[in-house]
Amino acid sequence: MNDVGMANILDGKATAAAVREDVAAGVATLRAAGHPAPGLCVVLVGGDPASQVYVRNKDRAATQAGFEVSTLRLDAETSQADLEAEIKRLNLDSSVHGILVQLPLPKGLDADSVLRGLDPAKDVDGLTATNVAALVTGSLGHVPCTPAGCIEILDRHGIALEGKRVTIVGRSMLVGKPLAQLALARNATVTVCHSRTADLAAECRRADILVAAVGVARLIKGDWIQPGATVLDVGINRGEDGKLVGDVDFAEAVSVAGAITPVPGGVGPMTIAMLLKNTLSAARVAAGV
Ligand code: NAD
């Protein structure tokens, strides 16, 4: 906490930019050794407006980092068999090191079945069963980008997890569960809360590091936070005024927490940066580096 009793703001934009710079340097080293640039293919089925924005942002960040980026746009009526055939083709394409299937898929398409057909080495979102198992067993694999970004932002601010009480609100496969595994691997004492947790406020108050990944605007109040605790806000919600707000009541939390991520500009920008990091690592493995 700084002099005026306000939390340090963990700037995800700047931290993500630093990660992206490291990735760009890694790409340059790979290319200088005669290997191809990392290839990322984003598969976008249908025209969901939010997905279009995400895909555009991923495309821009990956291009800036020196990747070969392609977007495979398929219409919403694409059949399961055709989609899975495209994934098979990308699995075999040696210029593609990372395949990202933008979720959610349009109604009628089975995402689990698509993921089962994805080569785990190219699953840079870390969602295939093989990569989930690798995370739980502590072996090498791709880690989902948002929880990986949470750990990275802590690391880059010198906030250690070892021996800390880490409380995660939310148990999704995309954020809460993988983050619990990552925090355990760092020797934290982990509590995972969810919609049926009996006394959420009391659980949150015990946390040295509190992570909110719920999807409910300003659910976490200032007096749910232990003074001096670190707060990571993963939530992305629309406030009453249409602006983005997190799962934490930032105005209250900022005078209690020791450090906190804002929304926007906190965990959000880390996600794409970690996607690039995973894809670079896939390209390195493919190059035998
Ligand atoms: P999800 O809907 O899959 O899971 C939400 C979790 O919150 C569930 O486990 C549920 O049990 C729990 N929950 C719901 N209501 C609750 C309540 N009242 N009290 C306690 N727990 C409750 O969501 P998700 O995919 O994990 O995403 C969570 C939030 O993070 C969303 O706002 C999403 O937009 C955001 N998100 C951000 C990024 C990013 O890049 N920053 C990435 C993924 C998700």
Side-chain angles (χ1 to χ4, degrees):
M1 198 170 300
N2 63 25
D3 305 344
V4 286
M6 296 286 270
N8 290 326
I9 308 297
L10 304 175
D11 183 344
K13 238 174 133 178
T15 311
V19 172
R20 293 206 311 266
E21 259 176 46
D22 290 352
V23 169
V27 174
T29 306
L30 198 64
R31 302 218 55 185
H35 300 293
L40 174 68
C41 182
V42 182
V43 180
L44 177 61
V45 189
D48 176 60
S51 293
Q52 306 254 21
V53 175
Y54 293 141
V55 167
R56 234 186 351 259
N57 291 341
K58 284 168 187 168
D59 191 316
R60 190 185 317 127
T63 304
Q64 275 171 5
F67 286 37
E68 287 294 330
V69 198
S70 55
T71 304
L72 177 62
R73 289 174 196 277
L74 301 171
D75 62 48
E77 281 71 44
T78 302
S79 71
Q80 185 81 28
D82 286 350
L83 175 56
E84 291 183 15
E86 289 292 350
I87 300 294
K88 263 198 194 126
R89 184 181 63 74
L90 293 169
N91 283 343
L92 296 172
D93 182 341
S94 61
S95 71
V96 173
H97 305 102
I99 304 167
L100 190 143
V101 182
Q102 185 65 43
L103 300 176
L105 292 174
K107 277 202 180 71
L109 289 172
D110 176 357
D112 288 338
S113 173
V114 172
L115 289 175
R116 277 196 294 277
L118 182 60
D119 178 353
K122 298 190 179 188
D123 165 33
V124 284
D125 247 349
L127 298 177
T128 55
T130 303
N131 282 318
V132 174
L135 178 60
V136 176
T137 56
S139 41
L140 272 183
H142 291 302
V143 174
C145 302
T146 301
C150 290
I151 300 291
E152 187 84 19
I153 204 166
L154 293 174
D155 283 349
R156 290 193 181 235
H157 288 84
I159 300 170
L161 287 111
E162 176 140 349
K164 302 276 183 63
R165 288 178 196 272
V166 173
T167 301
I168 301 162
V169 190
R171 58 175 163 184
S172 71
M173 285 303 296
L174 205 60
V175 190
K177 281 185 190 170
L179 183 57
Q181 293 297 333
L182 290 172
L184 272 178
R186 294 297 193 87
N187 301 317
T189 301
V190 179
T191 304
V192 181
C193 302
H194 45 77
S195 53
R196 310 283 178 90
T197 294
D199 187 348
L200 187 60
E203 296 295 345
C204 291
R205 271 184 213 115
R206 274 194 280 277
D208 301 312
I209 299 174
L210 177 62
V211 186
V214 188
V216 177
R218 300 190 193 94
L219 173 74
I220 312 279
K221 307 296 171 206
D223 66 356
W224 295 20
I225 296 167
Q226 183 190 142
T230 296
V231 180
L232 301 183
D233 191 351
V234 181
I236 301 177
N237 312 291
R238 288 267 164 219
E240 309 77 41
D241 52 3
K243 289 194 179 138
L244 291 187
V245 287
D247 292 341
V248 177
D249 189 321
F250 185 86
E252 289 183 16
V254 74
S255 54
V256 186
I260 186 168
T261 58
V263 176
V267 174
M270 297 300 295
T271 299
I272 292 181
M274 301 313 287
L275 169 72
L276 301 185
K277 205 172 164 178
N278 282 352
T279 308
L280 171 62
S281 117
R284 276 194 181 131
V285 169
V289 179

